[in-house]
Amino acid sequence: MSDLSQRLKLALKEANMSQSELARRVGLRPQAVQHVCSGKSRTSGRVVEFAQHLGVRPEWLGAGSGPMRAEPVKSDVREGPGFVGRLPLISWVQAGNWSDVVDTYQPNDAETWIDVTKRFGENAFALRVVGDSMEPQAPEGSIILVDPARQAVNNSLVVARLDDEMQATFKQLIIEGGQYLLKPLNPRYPIMDLTGRPVTICGVVRQIVIDLD
């Protein structure tokens, strides 16, 4: 299925979700989703968010690559107790471009891999925290494990891409009365108001790894 509009309509049908409901969930006008479904818009910067809400793989929805849904991660007990798999440790630049990188990212592209003890979506990744805006929960140098397949809700810790600046940031998502905010955990930093700004949620942070040595 080579056409984005056809894949999006199929995903909507299987998720039993209307175009207007998807638009509401990702903060778009219904016409924006209608244009993608009708083929009037052949590309969308919201493919990763669409995929998260529809339960499909972003690379399938965006480029027709691979299966529609991810296969469950298989445990590998040979690696030690509790081991489930590994996630690539990527840079903040890659995180900021993740909706573009995810279609072409290969397992050998990362120099460092992080062992994980819980199951993540196929395109999950790890980031090393830079700065102290998320202290004390995630101090500088700690590693966050990010899952693009997990739906962000109020109070989720997320990696978000500011599309107008093409850079990623790690913050707490606050949803209040239709208003979307990115809140640092460190009170010394200001809350970011996302109103009117193009933002892509690259993934939900599900674990924080801190080295106490």
Side-chain angles (χ1 to χ4, degrees), residues 32-75:
V33 176
Q34 291 172 6
H35 285 170
V36 179
C37 287
S38 65
K40 293 180 180 179
S41 176
R42 296 184 179 277
T43 61
S44 174
R46 299 298 185 96
V47 164
V48 172
E49 288 182 272
F50 288 169
Q52 289 174 354
H53 290 283
L54 294 171
V56 300
R57 297 169 65 243
E59 59 267 44
W60 173 85
L61 184 60
S65 174
M68 184 177 186
R69 293 183 175 83
E71 297 180 358
V73 177
K74 296 181 180 179
S75 298

Side-chain angles (χ1 to χ4, degrees), residues 26-29 46 162-164 178-181 192-200:
V26 300
L28 292 174
R29 293 181 177 180
R46 299 298 185 96
L162 308 177
D163 294 341
D164 52 352
Q179 188 177 25
Y180 288 76
L181 308 170
M192 301 170 62
D193 187 349
L194 303 181
T195 304
R197 297 190 65 180
V199 176
T200 297

Side-chain angles (χ1 to χ4, degrees), residues 63-213:
S65 174
M68 184 177 186
R69 293 183 175 83
E71 297 180 358
V73 177
K74 296 181 180 179
S75 298
D76 187 349
V77 297
R78 296 173 301 173
E79 297 292 339
F83 177 82
V84 172
R86 291 188 174 97
L87 299 183
L89 181 64
I90 68 172
S91 70
W92 283 99
V93 172
Q94 288 174 304
N97 294 313
W98 192 248
S99 61
D100 301 320
V101 173
V102 73
D103 290 339
T104 58
Y105 196 80
Q106 299 298 319
N108 294 327
D109 287 348
E111 295 183 3
T112 303
W113 291 80
I114 306 299
D115 291 348
V116 296
T117 55
K118 66 166 53 178
R119 299 183 187 280
F120 286 78
E122 182 182 14
N123 297 312
F125 57 93
L127 284 173
R128 191 178 298 279
V129 175
V130 177
D132 61 354
S133 68
M134 294 299 280
E135 289 186 350
Q137 189 167 346
E140 184 168 20
S142 59
I143 294 174
I144 54 176
L145 307 182
V146 188
D147 196 342
R150 183 62 63 95
Q151 180 176 339
V153 297
N154 186 39
N155 292 324
S156 290
L157 298 181
V158 301
V159 172
R161 185 183 72 190
L162 308 177
D163 294 341
D164 52 352
E165 300 178 13
M166 289 303 292
Q167 68 178 35
T169 185
F170 169 39
K171 297 291 185 290
Q172 183 179 35
L173 177 65
I174 304 296
I175 305 174
E176 294 180 344
Q179 188 177 25
Y180 288 76
L181 308 170
L182 289 179
K183 177 184 177 182
L185 298 183
N186 188 333
R188 295 194 297 108
Y189 289 84
I191 295 175
M192 301 170 62
D193 187 349
L194 303 181
T195 304
R197 297 190 65 180
V199 176
T200 297
I201 301 298
C202 300
V204 173
V205 176
R206 298 183 58 201
Q207 281 187 313
I208 301 173
V209 181
I210 301 175
D211 189 352
L212 298 179
D213 291 340

